[in-house]
C-alpha cells in the first residue's frame, strides 16, 4: 500500500462490507459507478460472520438434536449424541466460509475494488485507510460520494466486561462446548434466540431481563406463545431483574442480580450479555466532517440515506430504525440509486418485516392494531390459529396464530405471525402491506392445500366475514 499523503481519487467509496455495504457496492456498480469498498475485518460483516447466519446454524442444529431425541410420530432413534466440535466446524466451513466466499466473488464479479483497513475521515471529501497489516502504512483517498455502512457492536454493561466467561453474542456463537449452565442477560431477540438454541443443545438456561417482559418489540399474545415453549425447554425467565456483577474463576462465573429488592446469585459456565448494540460511528473522525451525529450515536439521514453532507450517505445500524440486515439491504439499494441520480428512490420503513427465530418463530410487519389506532385509524385484527391448520398438525407444531390488521375500508395495514414457518410466511403479508392490498385480495388468493400458508387465507376469510374453519 502507498505510504504518504498522495491522494488517490475514487468515484464512490463504501465503508464496511456487511449487509448494507456489500449490497450498496454491487448495486452502485450495476448502475455504472466505479466503486471501492473498505473493510477492516469481515467480508459479509457481523451478520454473516458472527451474527444472524451462524446463530441460525446453531438453532438448526439444536432443532435436529431435539428431533433425534424425541419419539414424535412414533419414530424413536435411540440415544442421540452431539459432537459440538463437528457442529461448530460445519457452521464455520460449510455455512459461513461458503457464504463469505460467495460475497467476495460477487464483489469481484462487479469489479468492486476491495481494500482492507481502518477508515479515518479527514473532511467531507477525503479519508485515509490505515492498513490492516501495518500501523504505519496508510493511503489517502478523495471521493465524489461516500456510503458509510460501519455497522454496530454489542453494548458492554458495568461489571460485565466481555472477557473470559462473560460473553457477547460473538463469543457465544464460538463456544468450544455446550455449557451445562448458561446465564443470558437481556431477553430481546438475540438473547431469546440463543437461549433457545443452547437449551435445545442441552444447556440449562436462565434469562435475566431488566424490563417487565422479554421480547418487548412483539405483542404480548405472541410472546406468551414463545414463553410457554421456552419454559417447556426448562429455561428460567426472570423479568424486572437487574444484573449487578459477575465474578469469574477458571471454570465458572457467578452472576449476581437483584429482583424484588433481594440479591440472588447463579453459578454458571458462561454468562452471555445481550442488552443491545451501539452504532460504530465513533473513533473514525466524523467530527472533522459536516455529518451530524444524533441521538445514541446514530447519523441523521433523509429518506435516501443522505446525511447532512450531500455527498455522504449512511445506511444500516448507524442510522435510525431497527437493526435489521434486510433493512440495510433496502437502504443500500436506495442510497446507490440516489447517487446515480434517481430522485424517486426512497426508504419506507412501514413495510419492513421483523423476525425472531425463537421456538416458535415470531414475525411482524406494518402496524399492529394498537399502532394503527394511535394513528387515528379504525383498525381491527383478525386471527386464525395454527391449531386449525392441517399442515401444522402433521408437523406436530400447532401452537400460534396469524393476525391480519385492516382499516375500516379493508386495506391491509399489518400482520403478525407466531408459529411454524413464520419467518417465511410473513413475506405474503409484507407484499400485502407494501402494495396496500385490500383484504379481499388476500382472501381471494388460492392457497395450496395442505400448507401453512392457508392460515393467512383463513385469517383473511375471517376478516371479510366468511370464516370457513372456525
Amino acid at each position: 500500500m502507498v505510504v504518504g499523503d498522495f491522494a488517490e481519487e475514487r468515484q464512490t467509496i463504501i465503508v464496511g462490507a456487511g449487509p448494507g455495504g456489500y449490497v450498496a457496492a454491487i448495486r452502485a456498480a450495476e448502475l455504472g459507478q466505479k466503486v471501492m469498498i473498505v473493510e477492516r475485518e469481515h467480508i459479509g460483516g457481523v451478520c454473516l460472520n458472527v451474527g444472524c447466519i451462524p446463530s441460525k446454524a446453531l438453532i438448526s442444529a439444536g432443532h435436529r438434536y431435539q428431533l433425534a431425541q424425541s419419539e414424535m410420530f412414533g419414530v424413536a432413534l435411540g440415544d442421540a449424541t452431539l459432537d459440538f466440535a463437528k457442529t461448530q466446524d460445519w457452521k464455520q466451513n460449510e455455512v459461513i466460509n461458503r457464504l463469505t466466499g460467495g460475497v467476495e466473488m460477487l464483489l469481484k464479479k462487479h469489479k468492486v475494488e476491495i481494500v482492507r483497513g481502518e477508515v479515518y475521515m479527514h473532511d467531507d471529501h477525503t479519508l485515509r485507510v490505515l492498513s490492516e497489516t501495518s500501523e504505519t502504512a496508510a493511503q489517502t483517498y478523495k471521493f465524489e460520494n461516500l456510503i458509510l455502512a460501519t455497522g454496530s457492536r454489542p453494548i458492554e454493561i458495568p461489571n460485565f466486561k466481555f472477557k473470559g466467561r462473560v460473553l457477547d453474542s460473538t463469543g457465544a456463537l464460538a463456544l468450544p462446548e455446550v455449557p451445562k449452565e448458561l446465564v443470558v442477560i437481556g431477553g430481546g431477540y438475540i438473547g431469546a434466540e440463543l437461549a433457545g438454541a443452547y437449551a435445545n443443545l442441552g444447556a440449562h438456561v436462565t434469562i435475566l431481563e431488566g424490563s417487565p417482559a422479554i421480547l418487548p418489540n412483539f405483542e404480548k399474545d405472541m410472546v406468551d406463545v414463545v414463553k410457554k415453549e421456552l419454559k417447556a425447554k426448562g429455561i428460567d425467565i426472570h423479568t424486572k431483574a437487574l444484573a449487578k456483577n459477575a465474578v469469574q474463576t477458571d471454570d465458572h462465573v457467578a452472576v449476581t442480580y437483584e429482583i424484588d429488592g433481594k440479591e440472588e446469585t447463579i453459578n454458571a459456565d458462561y454468562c452471555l450479555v445481550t442488552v443491545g448494540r451501539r452504532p460504530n460511528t465513533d473513533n473514525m473522525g466524523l467530527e472533522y466532517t459536516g455529518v451530524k451525529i444524533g441521538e445514541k450515536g446514530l447519523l441523521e439521514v433523509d429518506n435516501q440515506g443522505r446525511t447532512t453532507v450531500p455527498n455522504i450517505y449512511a445506511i444500516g445500524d448507524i442510522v435510525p430504525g431497527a437493526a435489521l440486515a434486510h433493512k440495510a439491504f433496502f437502504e443500500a439499494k436506495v442510497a446507490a440509486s440516489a447517487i446515480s441520480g434517481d430522485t424517486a428512490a426512497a426508504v419506507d420503513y412501514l413495510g419492513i418485516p421483523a423476525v425472531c427465530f425463537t421456538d416458535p418463530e415470531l414475525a411482524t410487519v406494518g402496524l399492529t392494531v394498537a399502532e394503527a389506532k394511535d394513528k387515528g385509524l379504525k383498525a381491527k385484527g383478525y386471527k386464525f390459529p395454527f391449531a386449525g391448520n392441517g399442515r401444522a398438525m402433521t408437523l406436530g407444531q400447532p401452537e400460534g396464530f396469524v393476525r391480519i390488521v385492516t382499516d375500516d375500508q379493508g386495506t391491509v395495514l399489518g400482520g403478525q405471525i407466531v408459529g411454524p414457518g413464520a419467518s417465511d410466511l410473513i413475506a405474503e403479508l409484507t407484499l400485502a402491506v407494501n402494495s396496500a392490498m385490500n383484504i379481499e385480495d388476500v382472501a381471494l388468493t388460492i392457497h395450496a392445500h395442505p400448507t401453512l400458508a392457508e392460515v393467512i387465507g383463513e385469517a383473511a376469510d375471517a376478516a371479510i366475514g366468511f370464516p370457513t374453519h372456525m
Side-chain angles (χ1 to χ4, degrees), residues 54-55 57-58 61 82-97 170-178 198 201:
S55 66
L58 290 188
L82 173 68
D83 187 332
F84 197 58
K86 288 184 178 179
T87 302
Q88 291 285 34
D89 180 74
W90 163 76
K91 179 198 76 177
Q92 186 63 46
N93 293 304
E94 297 300 320
V95 180
I96 298 171
N97 290 352
T170 299
L173 290 167
L175 286 176
E177 73 278 329
V178 176
Y198 273 108
L201 291 166

Side-chain angles (χ1 to χ4, degrees), residues 8 98 265 345:
E8 297 187 6
R98 286 193 177 191
T265 299

Side-chain angles (χ1 to χ4, degrees), residues 141-158:
Y141 295 92
K142 293 186 72 66
F143 53 85
E144 293 180 24
N145 293 287
L146 178 70
I147 300 177
L148 299 173
T150 49
S152 61
R153 62 187 185 275
I155 293 174
E156 196 173 67
I157 59 177

Side-chain angles (χ1 to χ4, degrees), residues 7-144:
E8 297 187 6
E9 296 186 0
R10 295 292 186 272
Q11 183 181 14
T12 300
I13 295 179
I14 297 168
V15 183
Y22 84 74
V23 170
I26 291 171
R27 179 55 59 91
E30 289 173 335
L31 292 170
Q33 299 169 41
K34 300 294 184 181
V35 184
M36 183 180 93
I37 193 166
V38 186
E39 173 55 48
R40 68 179 180 184
E41 193 170 8
H42 301 298
I43 296 294
V46 167
C47 178
L48 182 48
N49 288 270
V50 292
C52 48
I53 295 299
S55 66
K56 303 314 167 287
L58 290 188
I59 288 170
S60 294
H63 288 162
R64 183 67 62 89
Y65 185 47
Q66 284 298 308
L67 283 173
Q69 296 180 91
S70 76
E71 295 186 4
M72 186 177 287
F73 316 124
V75 178
L77 300 179
D79 294 329
T81 60
L82 173 68
D83 187 332
F84 197 58
K86 288 184 178 179
T87 302
Q88 291 285 34
D89 180 74
W90 163 76
K91 179 198 76 177
Q92 186 63 46
N93 293 304
E94 297 300 320
V95 180
I96 298 171
N97 290 352
R98 286 193 177 191
L99 289 171
T100 55
V103 169
E104 189 160 0
M105 179 196 71
L106 287 170
L107 290 171
K108 291 177 179 178
K109 174 185 174 183
H110 287 86
K111 296 181 172 54
V112 173
E113 179 185 1
I114 302 172
V115 174
R116 301 278 188 162
E118 189 91 19
V119 166
Y120 295 93
M121 300 299 301
H122 179 68
D123 56 37
D124 291 347
H125 295 277
T126 314
L127 58 79
R128 286 174 67 81
V129 179
L130 183 66
S131 170
E132 64 171 2
T133 58
S134 171
E135 293 184 359
T136 59
Q139 175 61 51
T140 301
Y141 295 92
K142 293 186 72 66
F143 53 85
E144 293 180 24

Side-chain angles (χ1 to χ4, degrees), residues 24 145-149 291-292 298-316 318-320 327-328 330-339 342-349:
N145 293 287
L146 178 70
I147 300 177
L148 299 173
V291 173
K292 186 174 181 179
L298 298 171
L299 305 186
E300 294 188 8
V301 292
D302 64 14
N303 64 0
Q304 290 193 312
R306 190 179 293 102
T307 68
T308 45
V309 177
N311 66 312
I312 298 180
Y313 296 72
I315 59 176
I318 63 174
V319 302
K327 166 180 169 284
F330 186 36
E331 292 168 339
K333 295 171 184 177
V334 169
S337 297
I339 289 173
D342 186 349
T343 58
V347 172
D348 179 2
Y349 293 126

